């Protein structure tokens, strides 16, 4: 999804080119022209010198200038030379320099300006373009590709190399990028990397502390596609991109990973953490229907230490998931939305349990928390429009109208008790006074609730009078189920604005 971060897209496209299986001839000039069309269509400035010698087109002093946006300053990428060589089989080999400089400017939340100098370096890169001018595919491989920060200037002051480190390295890189020119410019991509490592480090200029983070991602792969109109677009305004018909979707998968984080203050450790996982995925889609975002992580293990906490914080989770889908543009009709998360089989160390349950009075079975919501709503303004920040921050302006919410699944399972539920509500947005009036019902079930209350009282965590109040509330809202220590409740809201629990009006 190249329009999400167009600066790094520029580096990626240059590092991997553009283009497909050889079933017809493509010329060196075709590939170079497609490059220019792509970058100029994004509103970038492209300047270079061209020289044709035999079957090779050599581009020298190539500069790609990316204009300033609301949150980022102007940036540029420079290549001393790129060669496009025509092969006997009708394909074109693209030869990149081993070092490609990239400069960008970032404005911080407090107005500070950082000028960042990066280099994209590679070893053993082979890039071959095939096809026809309207349908080209680039197949590429590289032993290594690295992105390294080589310079940092903050508010005009040059920072020493030991003040900041940024390094990303990919080993065993391969992939294809197919470009199809029709009603739109369409990119279909796939990429694999044997392993990805990263190192980040930052030090306080005044010498009071530093932070370091490093890690790895194993078996990374990506598949995705994006589409751009054949006109010049403003990549700094996502709302305008969507209105122009830009779309994109992509899926990242990885087989495992690990990270190590440490923070020091005044020469002493202030925080440290390590994480490992057995892989996961991330799905992103952006287009006319809005944003879709979902991910999962398997067998996550986390260990943290802080001098402010008396014991190490250690926990693991068999499976963690989240999803978000929402409309982004102002519409008259209602659109689907969704929100959900799941923390399945969450466990923490006995040392943590012992802080509040030293006698093991509570069951220490893995906990699970799940919420799955869907519904319909419409945005009252373009969510990603730069002016939306002012509108959304006004408490007198409602950003969206919600028509219905469905509780597809609710589950909270911990300490020997389990709450489950489902329901559906629709909302009257025309209610007097602008109040959001819900109409619908939810069915809830609680198993083991009374036993949990008894255990909390025995542990001294819940006073007896508060436990009595909780039991009275449960008696008002729920009825006993068929199984022992089971309570069921149906909560309804009607068109008259009444709230009922199991048929009895409580408001």
């Amino acid at each position: 999804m190249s329009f999400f971060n167009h600066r790094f897209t520029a580096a990626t496209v240059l590092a991997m080119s553009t283009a497909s299986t050889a079933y017809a001839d493509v010329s060196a000039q075709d590939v170079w022209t497609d490059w220019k069309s792509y970058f100029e269509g994004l509103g970038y400035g492209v300047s270079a010198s061209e020289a044709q010698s035999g079957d090779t087109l050599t581009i020298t002093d190539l500069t790609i200038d990316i204009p300033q946006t609301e949150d980022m300053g102007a940036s540029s990428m420079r290549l001393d030379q790129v060669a496009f060589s025509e092969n006997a089989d009708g394909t074109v080999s693209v030869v990149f320099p081993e070092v490609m400089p990239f400069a960008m400017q970032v404005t911080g939340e407090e107005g500070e300006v950082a000028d960042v100098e990066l280099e994209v370096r590679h070893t053993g890169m082979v890039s071959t373009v095939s096809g026809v001018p309207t349908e080209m595919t680039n197949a590429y491989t590289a032993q290594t590709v690295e992105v390294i920060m080589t310079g940092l200037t903050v508010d005009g002051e040059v920072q020493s190399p030991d003040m900041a480190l940024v390094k990303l390295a990919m080993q065993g890189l391969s992939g294809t990028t197919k470009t199809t020119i029709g009603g739109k410019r369409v990119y279909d991509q796939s990429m694999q990397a044997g392993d990805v490592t990263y190192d980040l480090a930052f030090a306080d200029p005044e010498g009071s502390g530093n932070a370091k983070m490093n890690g790895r991602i194993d078996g990374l792969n990506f598949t995705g596609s994006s589409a751009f109109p054949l006109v010049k677009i403003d990549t700094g305004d996502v709302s305008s991109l969507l209105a122009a018909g830009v779309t994109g979707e992509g899926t990242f998968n990885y087989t495992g990973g690990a990270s190590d984080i440490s923070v020091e203050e005044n020469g002493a450790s202030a925080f440290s953490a390590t994480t490992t996982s057995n892989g996961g995925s991330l799905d992103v889609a952006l287009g006319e229907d809005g944003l879709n975002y979902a991910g999962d992580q398997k067998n996550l293990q986390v260990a943290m230490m802080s001098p402010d906490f008396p014991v190490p914080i250690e926990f693991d989770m068999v499976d963690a998931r989240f999803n978000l889908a929402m409309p982004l543009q102002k519409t008259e009709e209602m659109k689907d939305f969704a929100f959900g998360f799941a923390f399945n089989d969450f466990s923490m160390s006995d040392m943590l349990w012992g802080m509040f349950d030293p006698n093991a009075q509570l069951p220490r079975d893995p906990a699970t928390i799940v919420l799955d919501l869907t519904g319909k709503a419409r945005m009252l303004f373009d969510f990603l429009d730069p002016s939306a920040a002012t509108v959304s921050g006004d408490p007198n302006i409602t950003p969206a109208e919600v028509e219905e919410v469905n509780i597809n699944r609710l589950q909270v399972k911990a300490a020997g008790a389990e709450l489950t539920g489902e329901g559906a509500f629709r909302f009257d947005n025309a209610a007097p006074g602008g109040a959001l009036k819900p109409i619908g019902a939810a069915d809830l079930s609680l198993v083991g609730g009374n036993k949990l209350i008894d255990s909390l009282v025995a542990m001294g965590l819940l006073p007896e009078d508060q436990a009595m109040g909780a039991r009275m509330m449960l008696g008002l809202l729920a009825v006993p189920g068929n199984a022992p220590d089971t309570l069921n409740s149906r909560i309804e809201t009607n068109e008259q604005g009444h709230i009922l629990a199991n048929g009895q009006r409580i408001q």
Side-chain angles (χ1 to χ4, degrees), residues 215 239 241 306 374 387 413 417 423 434 480:
S239 182
L241 293 179
S306 169
T374 57
S387 62
K413 180 181 178 183

Side-chain angles (χ1 to χ4, degrees), residues 6-7 10 35-46 63-69 74-75 228-236 241:
H6 51 89
R7 284 161 168 73
W35 275 33
K36 290 192 294 183
S37 297
Y38 169 75
F39 289 118
E40 290 172 350
L42 294 176
Y44 302 170
V46 180
T63 301
I64 299 175
D65 294 313
I66 304 172
Q68 179 177 347
T69 64
S75 58
F228 298 81
L230 300 178
V231 295
K232 186 176 180 179
I233 56 178
D234 179 7
T235 56
L241 293 179

